[in-house]
Amino acid sequence: MKRTFEVQPWNVVSHDLNQDDKRLQESMTSLGNGYMGMRGFFEEDYSADTLQGLYLGGVWYPDKTRVGWWKNGYPEYFGKAINAVNYIKMNIAINGEKVDLATDEISDFSLDLDMKNAQFTRSFTVTKGAAKVAFKFERFLSIEIQELSVQRVSINNLSDAAVDVTVDANMNADVVNEDSNYDEHFWSTLSTKQELDRASLVTKTTPNPFGTPQFTVAVEQRFVTDLAPKAVEQPAADEVSNEFVGSLAAGATTTIEKRVVLTTSRDYDTEAALTAAVQEIGDKVAGISYDDLFAAHAAKWAARWEIADVTIEGSDEAQQGIRFNLFQLFSTYYGDDSRLNIGPKGFTGEKYGGATYWDTEAFAIPVYLGVTDPSVTKNLLKYRYQQIEGAYHNAKQQGLKGALYPMVTFDGIECHNEWEITFEEIHRNSTIAFAIYNYTHITGDKSWVQGDGSEVLIGIARFWADRVHYSALKDKYMIHGVTGPNEYENNINNNWYTNYMAKWVLQYALEILPDVDDKNAAKLAVTDAEKTKWQEIIDKMYLGEADYEGKHIFVQHDTYLDKDLTPVAELDPANLPLNQKWSWDHILRSPYIKQADVLQGMYYFIDNFTEKEKADNFNFYEPLTVHESSLSASVHSIIAADLHMEDKAVEMYERTARLDLDNYNNDTSDGLHITAMTGAWLSIVQGFAGMRVRNDELHFAPFLPKAWDKYHFRFYFRGRLLEVAVDKAGSSVTLLKGEPLTIDLDGQKLELK
Amino acid sequence: MKRTFEVQPWNVVSHDLNQDDKRLQESMTSLGNGYMGMRGFFEEDYSADTLQGLYLGGVWYPDKTRVGWWKNGYPEYFGKAINAVNYIKMNIAINGEKVDLATDEISDFSLDLDMKNAQFTRSFTVTKGAAKVAFKFERFLSIEIQELSVQRVSINNLSDAAVDVTVDANMNADVVNEDSNYDEHFWSTLSTKQELDRASLVTKTTPNPFGTPQFTVAVEQRFVTDLAPKAVEQPAADEVSNEFVGSLAAGATTTIEKRVVLTTSRDYDTEAALTAAVQEIGDKVAGISYDDLFAAHAAKWAARWEIADVTIEGSDEAQQGIRFNLFQLFSTYYGDDSRLNIGPKGFTGEKYGGATYWDTEAFAIPVYLGVTDPSVTKNLLKYRYQQIEGAYHNAKQQGLKGALYPMVTFDGIECHNEWEITFEEIHRNSTIAFAIYNYTHITGDKSWVQGDGSEVLIGIARFWADRVHYSALKDKYMIHGVTGPNEYENNINNNWYTNYMAKWVLQYALEILPDVDDKNAAKLAVTDAEKTKWQEIIDKMYLGEADYEGKHIFVQHDTYLDKDLTPVAELDPANLPLNQKWSWDHILRSPYIKQADVLQGMYYFIDNFTEKEKADNFNFYEPLTVHESSLSASVHSIIAADLHMEDKAVEMYERTARLDLDNYNNDTSDGLHITAMTGAWLSIVQGFAGMRVRNDELHFAPFLPKAWDKYHFRFYFRGRLLEVAVDKAGSSVTLLKGEPLTIDLDGQKLELK
């Protein structure tokens, strides 16, 4: 844990430039607009350690799989979101000497990420001999015009004499990923064009042997400044540059704006169309001031916050935490493009390859359902529907029927490269179905599950019906050889979560089938024999249960209870975190749980279990859980809240709410935990406020954390927008928009009008 | 299955040169002398597909581990025996045109591997226009002078006119492995020296980041010929060459001998010492004729065969099979150097990296104990003792006490790179202890186990005592998270074999401890508390047993019986071999067994089980076994013989005896299955002849396979050499050397004098 930023309600601010924390600061000050995003690395060259990352949604490259020993059926590549053309560069020289914060004498340094308006501001004063100059760098990625990045640098001469200022603004397409297998160069430049006051380039991903799409990117930089443009040589084959010079009198200030427009072949067919679009957008914004561009951007953010903001009084840490989470989540994805999804690190780092995981369905969709228009979630559902051919392919690769959604993907085809994940962590498949259920349940819109969504659901059901096997010994259907949500175990049998969810998928499929629209019903052609088989599997699905030390346990997998069940609290803390201290085999055979496993399933269907079942399983599993996944804490917080274990619920909330702000796992330097950004919201809404939908009725049973004075959030439900406020006096629910509704608050029916 | 060589009792002969079978032929005609070895690739350039492999015992390189996701504790490299300087090259030109069997018109082609004398002969006639020339290439790797390779080419002009002959004999150190992760160049040439009639070079493995030893190799070629040497340019930086020319009259014959001496830094400290040794040996053999060099070599082979030969009458296939196996096994290892071991492909290919596996202890040592002087086995035991520091290191890497012998190694440090093998296939450790027991049992020599061997045994015992865990639920000690001998399952719990062997190790350690010599006892310092703990583990070791369909089964692992136990025979044959047809997850959750697992343990201690136990387990597991490991058949043959299931015993024998001769697994092109070469001998001696040691008494209960007329073998036992002969009339055992002995033959005591 390390807190390097100040606690402010709407801002993430630091006044320190510590070289050791540079990557951490870059992660924390990332910006994104769904279309593209970047780490908070500096415009000007910085000669110490830095991780320069600038990513474009849906632009990826297949990194050839390399493993010790090849296994039949392995995906041939691991898809990775790749670093794209670095278009924010602006090198500055004062009196001919380059500004470099790694070596310069600086003062008044500050970083300020304004979450309300999604702008990143950096300011500092550099002293170079007699010259003393103050800089302010501002930038934002417009959510009004997603192809647009806007930067402004203000330069104020604090010296007693004039200084010469040079700004060398360039764009460099010769970029690589740190975290790739082969230090591949993904990009080759197709063309460059360098004019006196603007420059552009077109770059394309290199061909690959796997037949995945190549991407072309066109990008142009233009400027608004009083500085004088100066003709320069093109710096290198993959780079373009514009230089601006001027003399700044003592006390004077000047500014230079850099506007970059970027288009990709995801949206335009030809190179000509790409460059034409760049010109068109560039021309359009040329006549608009920075302030007006910014105002349009900020207005759209204000509309997001209008619905989504959660206010917390009494804890500035908590207030900053929830806003940082929602800000980074929305910066990554706001439903604008159904071809995109939410990488575990969004646009803030390279880890996990920027691809789509089950995190989206399990953790992100419940939040989007609450605080964004249903169309946002719908696009996430469409994403999976559009990739169903890939899911059929994945199942076929395993010799199985139906659809297997991948653990990691860009296009539906599985592209992870460990057998214990790719082949075995198949519980992910059920989460895709659960998201359809969740959407239907919260929005009340059945058209998706009865229409195109039915193909996804039935495909997943067919996978499970083929993946189970019948154990003659036990007269049960079983699922052997899986990895559950707890990735600290591999290749286990009858993971309770996996079996429970598979059974639920079959049940839900049978429930939905009669209402599927004619077109899809004809296409799916589910036979009576299939339905009979599904029902048999449902009836005979093996779900391990046991009584253990007075508790009735849903057993994580067949032999879990045979382990040495020493609680985490009794371990010498020198062993923690396990993933850094123990060899992999030691972790695997230990009882320690990385993230909620049985409890994940109980969380999804929390009302299906008795108080005793919830309490017994929580009290059994939680002490064995090390929470070494960022996705663990929120589920525990919610179940603890359900069990009125308020201290535990708050403790777990605190582990998720400021995960990155306080660098809890000491890995935020790699990038933010974007899909875990949902945890705080889920903990507050489903945990502290006890939001449930029971028999189509919305329920709340709120409590207020001891340290807080008040919290307040808004929530979409079946066409309505509700507001929930909880303070020391009690709680209230208000209908802000939509038809009247009856809800349940603390067991009392409430008519909302 | 594909038989490309003729069935002859002492020779492996082919008259076909099929380009598709080239690699297969190269594997089959490999030569080795323990010190070095080579595939049967051609002396002259061959422009079609070929796998040129020439390897030096104990000369290896660390190939950097690359995996999808790094796991804590992974070995940093996979050690691999590397291709060494190709010193056998002799390019031939006739009238200036290069001989190339891939494109030339050839006749009278033959390959002949003489197993009796360990010589490889190749002959053919080439017609190039009017020129017609017959060639005969002979070569052997001397076992009298291990640094010496001898080649002879005879050239007979069958044309009506004279032909010009050129022989370009070179040595090339610019070699790579096909099967390496990074196409690394392992070698850099230190010096070359090219004289008119001889040439030499010194090459050294490149530095590596892992601190493993670098090897230097010095090699010189000299010649005996009537052809005239011709001065030539050095062909390339890593190559040296000598050229010989002459005109051969019609009908005339000439010969050229190439003698190569090679020394390595394994035996000499400095480059100067290496080259001096090369000179010294070269000078010594310079005065000796090919025939005399060959005679000395053949005489030593005759001595090996004198003891080891197994004669079989009535089946030429079986006769050739057993000899091929013993020949290749001895070519790989004959106990000359305790720093060397037996790679699964010996000197015949790259697969498995040429490193040491548990195959040595499980499969090879029992054969060496029977047919070689005990000192040969002793050196294999010393090998492990010398590497005990590595075994301590491996255990420590897993956070455990004691010694963990590696799955794959050159120097004792684990260097495989899959967690399910490296971290989990730990049953290998017990086999190291079993070999000590086996040696002691067969030779009667207790000095090893009571001396240095005790450190190995106690180290392994201490590992097991720390690796088990106590299950409170079952009041048993368990071993979770292992891979058994059946590598078609991973990360299983309570593998019966692993648990049984671990328990046995602790028992054997307790049994041996009182007699350990004072020096070792003091060093080991086993406490009473330790011994008490070991006894407790022995008493409470979990060993799964179950009654299943009328059989009493030792359960392979905890949930094995829950699988879908459809026998292999009921599978559509299109599914076989599983390792080519099914994805890995499918294999893992299937019941199908790659090689003996429970039966492996029953084989080691076959007299510890009742007839019913053996029959029930064999009849249960064998139908579920796909024998997709070359190490599977012999164990099944032996147990089947024990159960008087003679047809099954012979069927299993046939799968192992001609595994490579008939290319049973369709992979002999990669190299021979050296450690599986033991299977035929084990099947005959322990299977058909029923050899057992019971209460220090040697027992035989032979049967004769129906198709055979007679078999006969010799066998070392406690200082004696015995001869066993079995024919249709019955069986006899004769004492050839050593003190009188009472044995048991078919239940009758027999006094041998």
Side-chain angles (χ1 to χ4, degrees), chain A residues 488-490 563 578 581-591, chain B residues 71-75 394-400 404 418-426 428 463 467 480-483 491 493:
Chain A
Y488 283 178
E489 289 183 320
N490 283 158
K563 294 194 173 200
L578 299 182
K581 302 299 178 67
W582 283 7
S583 75
W584 184 236
D585 57 306
H586 195 178
I587 290 176
L588 284 179
R589 66 180 177 272
S590 85
Chain B
K71 311 288 195 202
N72 252 5
Y74 260 147
N394 299 332
K396 210 170 168 186
Q397 284 291 97
Q398 297 195 4
L400 294 168
L404 173 59
E418 292 181 303
W419 65 263
E420 58 271 34
I421 304 297
T422 301
F423 295 148
E424 299 213 328
E425 201 171 336
I426 52 176
R428 64 199 183 233
F463 172 83
R467 181 58 174 76
H480 274 194
V482 302
T483 296
N491 199 38
N493 297 330

Side-chain angles (χ1 to χ4, degrees), chain A residues 138-150:
Chain A
E138 296 162 292
R139 67 191 193 221
F140 65 94
L141 293 171
S142 172
I143 63 169
E144 172 71 12
I145 303 163
Q146 291 196 308
E147 297 86 350
L148 177 66
S149 157
V150 187

Side-chain angles (χ1 to χ4, degrees), chain A residues 637-657:
Chain A
S637 178
I638 293 162
I639 299 180
D642 187 86
L643 293 166
H644 309 290
M645 300 163 69
E646 298 183 5
D647 291 346
K648 180 56 88 173
V650 171
E651 175 200 330
M652 288 291 127
Y653 167 83
E654 285 168 353
R655 280 185 86 128
T656 184

Side-chain angles (χ1 to χ4, degrees), chain A residues 71 418 490-491 493 559, chain B residues 71 418-419 490-491 493 559:
Chain A
K71 312 288 194 200
E418 291 181 304
N490 283 158
N491 199 37
N493 296 331
T559 56
Chain B
K71 311 288 195 202
E418 292 181 303
W419 65 263
N490 284 158
N491 199 38
N493 297 330
T559 56

Side-chain angles (χ1 to χ4, degrees), chain B residues 180-218:
Chain B
S180 77
N181 276 342
Y182 296 100
D183 311 322
E184 282 155 321
H185 282 257
F186 313 111
W187 295 102
S188 73
T189 302
L190 298 185
S191 65
T192 58
K193 189 173 174 192
Q194 190 160 314
E195 298 172 74
L196 182 63
D197 63 350
R198 65 174 72 179
S200 61
L201 65 80
V202 181
T203 181
K204 185 176 182 179
T205 54
T206 54
N208 70 74
F210 307 109
T212 65
Q214 289 175 262
F215 298 95
T216 308
V217 171

Side-chain angles (χ1 to χ4, degrees), chain B residues 44-45 144 147 166 174 381 457 468 472 524 528 572 592 623 648 662 749:
Chain B
E44 73 282 9
D45 281 350
E144 172 72 12
E147 297 87 351
T166 310
D174 182 23
L381 302 182
L457 177 62
V468 299
L524 293 170
D528 286 344
D572 180 340
Y592 303 115
K648 180 57 88 174
D662 292 340
K749 301 292 169 198

Side-chain angles (χ1 to χ4, degrees), chain A residues 31 39 103 105 112 156 174 218 257 302 307 311 389 433 475 512 537 559 576 596 676:
Chain A
L31 290 178
R39 293 168 53 81
T103 54
E105 182 190 339
D112 184 348
N156 179 12
D174 183 23
E257 279 179 42
I307 309 299
T311 62
E389 291 301 329
D475 187 24
I512 290 300
I537 296 167
T559 56
L576 299 173

